[in-house]
Amino acid sequence: MTLHQSARPQQSAELLGIGLSTLWRFAKERPDFPRPRKLSPRVTVFIVAELLAWRDAQVKEAA
């Protein structure tokens, strides 16, 4: 997976090491979490580079 790719929700959750329901909860409740993009009525993706940047920021905040 390259940084310029998008990932479906299940792939995004696996990338972050969280469950699918947690991914959707973060998207709904956390203002700092990357926003999902609707490509069509039945296709939603997240941008991989945004997810990785968010993950890295969480590690820095915890340190």
Side-chain angles (χ1 to χ4, degrees):
M1 201 176 302
T2 65
L3 293 179
H4 299 290
Q5 284 187 325
S6 58
R8 299 291 295 266
Q10 183 65 44
Q11 294 172 312
S12 300
E14 290 171 5
L15 176 70
L16 296 174
I18 59 176
L20 187 57
S21 60
T22 302
L23 177 86
W24 288 118
R25 183 168 37 87
F26 283 1
K28 181 179 179 182
E29 297 176 357
R30 296 185 68 155
D32 63 331
F33 194 75
R35 301 284 68 134
R37 308 306 207 284
K38 286 287 258 188
L39 299 183
S40 71
R42 296 181 62 185
V43 177
T44 301
V45 298
F46 289 85
I47 305 302
V48 172
E50 293 175 1
L51 292 172
L52 294 175
W54 178 84
R55 182 194 64 191
D56 293 345
Q58 303 312 298
V59 172
K60 289 178 185 175
E61 288 178 15

